[in-house]
Amino acid sequence: MLDKAGLILDCFAPERESYRLSELCERTGLPKPTAHRLAADLVRLGWLERTGHRYRLGAKLFELGARVPRRRDLREAALPFLQDLFEATRETVHLGVREGLDVVYVERVHGHDALRLPSRIGGSLPLSCTGVGKALLAFSGPELADEVLAHPLRSLTPRSITDPALLRTALEKAQVAGLAYEEEEAAPGVSCIAAPVFARGTVVAALSVAVPRERFSAARLAPAVRTAALGLSRVLRGGPGG
Amino acid sequence: MLDKAGLILDCFAPERESYRLSELCERTGLPKPTAHRLAADLVRLGWLERTGHRYRLGAKLFELGARVPRRRDLREAALPFLQDLFEATRETVHLGVREGLDVVYVERVHGHDALRLPSRIGGSLPLSCTGVGKALLAFSGPELADEVLAHPLRSLTPRSITDPALLRTALEKAQVAGLAYEEEEAAPGVSCIAAPVFARGTVVAALSVAVPRERFSAARLAPAVRTAALGLSRVLRGGPGG
DNA sequence: AAGTTCGTTCCGTGACACGGAACAACGCCG
DNA sequence: CGGCGTTGTTCCGTGTCACGGAACGAACTT
């Protein structure tokens, strides 16, 4: 019963924002009356909202989600550095953590000219095709890289790396440079530079700057992203992590 | 059963970040075996996390909460203006919406010198003792003000307004000025100036700048916060709201 | 060693979740 | 206008699984 409620909520994963009852049924495999009753219960709890015949995620979930300590503390500690990074570069800035073989974005700061990116707060993307993901991957130890490379590499654009050997060398380069690069592998026309964030000696997050290809300049961005990552790492020295 | 799960998750409302099983029992009124089984189920779903004998909210909830469209869209639209406002003032900036008789904070931007404030993203405070709350209250029509004034006014500090007449005149001043003020009513030593955000003719949010009392200057802050609120209102013209 | 407090497991009972079936409300097409 | 597919809603008998008292074990206190 909790599991079925979870199935329903998990339907809302992508950017589709509202669903009809019949859509929930076919995506969860639940019979109609069951989904109907469950959805009604979820609405009563404020976890779903209903307008007409469409269901969407409810405000109560936002409030609960914002209280998750692991995420909240990291975000709170990181925000000033993300601000610095944004002001220094005036480009779109990301903070992400690893969750299994994906990167989950915890914060995203941008100005009025937001890029069209697949990254969304709370959303996940493959580690192998984002800047933040590569930074996490390069500094998380060889076992993780092996595991990623054991599966076929997913891709988001035609330029996403799908060749294991190429990824392997990209990670090695990142390790020596302390920075990870990504070129139109997550979104066409957008490049990215990322740096790992450490706490107690292990990577706990990574932050990145995403910028239109034509405006990309490693010389300009590298020091800024490196500075921000080091500053955050220093603050986290004894703090969150695992 | 869903309700009981909701009870458990609602325990985590305040800033206490982790609870033991027995604490969950006494706060929910659930018998021990029931809470135990439910907590285990929630852990399995990723909605709770368990370390040793302590439970905390799980990462899955963060991801779900970040997808709530009503909040996400507003935050996304507002972020560039919050950035502008922060850069113009270099003070702590808030974005909040109304939820019943409370304000819920949707975003909060600050630099390295974060103020010690009771406001937290996803957290709620009484409308009557915060800048954002007063702005929402002053421009939401008289029925809402009447309803707030029908209850005894809650307070967060000794200087929180508890006299209905005082609040009434404060709201009237806010209405003519287009700005709401707050002086150490939410946190000692912190003052605040706030402006309403409109979409389709009704208030949908408010944003504010909070600043240490000694640094407060209406002349400096008022134009900045007004500009940001108007800019956001313009972007939202046909967008979210309700 | 005796006493608390807490987490965990067991298990018989009964409430309530379950979902097939039937119904109702639209929208579509001929 | 009438037949048809689709979708949301309600009913209700069946069976399951959530329920929680009781008992157990571990850890800590006095």
Side-chain angles (χ1 to χ4, degrees), chain B:
Chain B
M1 154 111 220
L2 272 184
D3 308 69
K4 296 179 186 175
L7 278 179
I8 290 185
L9 295 179
D10 284 339
C11 283
F12 292 83
E15 50 293 304
R16 275 288 302 279
E17 71 170 36
S18 76
Y19 293 90
R20 326 186 34 157
L21 183 62
S22 56
E23 297 177 293
L24 293 178
C25 289
E26 82 177 316
R27 305 195 79 208
T28 57
L30 294 175
K32 231 184 310 176
T34 303
H36 183 258
R37 176 168 31 82
L38 240 42
D41 288 345
L42 291 171
V43 168
R44 196 169 33 77
L45 286 174
W47 298 4
L48 286 185
E49 287 166 6
R50 177 180 173 166
T51 48
H53 284 187
R54 309 201 69 92
Y55 295 92
R56 50 184 59 202
L57 294 178
K60 191 91 170 222
L61 278 180
F62 170 82
E63 293 158 40
L64 274 175
R67 294 192 184 115
V68 175
R70 276 230 322 270
R71 302 288 187 247
R72 169 171 49 73
D73 295 346
L74 174 63
R75 181 200 174 273
E76 203 124 328
L79 188 61
F81 297 98
L82 298 177
Q83 291 296 335
D84 292 345
L85 187 51
F86 172 73
E87 289 185 33
T89 62
R90 309 217 61 83
E91 304 287 358
T92 301
V93 166
H94 288 106
L95 173 73
V97 298
R98 185 174 72 84
E99 188 97 3
L101 300 185
D102 286 334
V103 46
V104 170
Y105 291 97
V106 172
E107 184 57 295
R108 182 171 170 234
V109 169
H110 56 79
H112 292 280
D113 53 346
L115 300 174
R116 187 165 282 283
L117 290 175
S119 58
R120 298 188 148 269
I121 296 183
S124 49
L125 296 175
L127 284 174
S128 58
C129 36
T130 69
V132 171
K134 282 188 191 174
L136 292 167
L137 201 43
F139 297 91
S140 291
E143 308 80 11
L144 181 65
D146 291 344
E147 195 182 346
V148 168
L149 289 164
H151 305 69
L153 296 175
R154 290 168 283 173
S155 67
L156 295 174
T157 75
R159 304 196 53 178
S160 298
I161 297 182
T162 55
D163 178 350
L166 280 179
L167 182 58
R168 190 80 79 172
T169 65
L171 294 181
E172 283 165 11
K173 278 187 188 171
Q175 282 156 12
V176 306
L179 291 172
Y181 292 88
E182 175 254 304
E183 291 167 0
E184 304 190 71
E185 298 155 41
V190 177
S191 293
C192 184
I193 179 169
V197 174
F198 296 91
R200 298 206 219 92
T202 59
V203 203
V204 296
L207 42 82
S208 79
V209 178
V211 42
R213 186 192 50 212
E214 59 274 13
R215 220 192 286 156
F216 187 85
S217 154
R220 176 171 76 98
L221 301 174
V225 67
R226 187 180 270 126
T227 303
L230 288 176
L232 178 53
S233 297
R234 173 200 296 267
V235 168
L236 295 181
R237 214 173 352 160

Side-chain angles (χ1 to χ4, degrees), chain A residues 20-22 32-33 36 50 53 55:
Chain A
R20 326 186 33 158
L21 183 62
S22 55
K32 235 186 304 175
H36 183 258
R50 178 180 172 166
H53 284 188
Y55 295 92

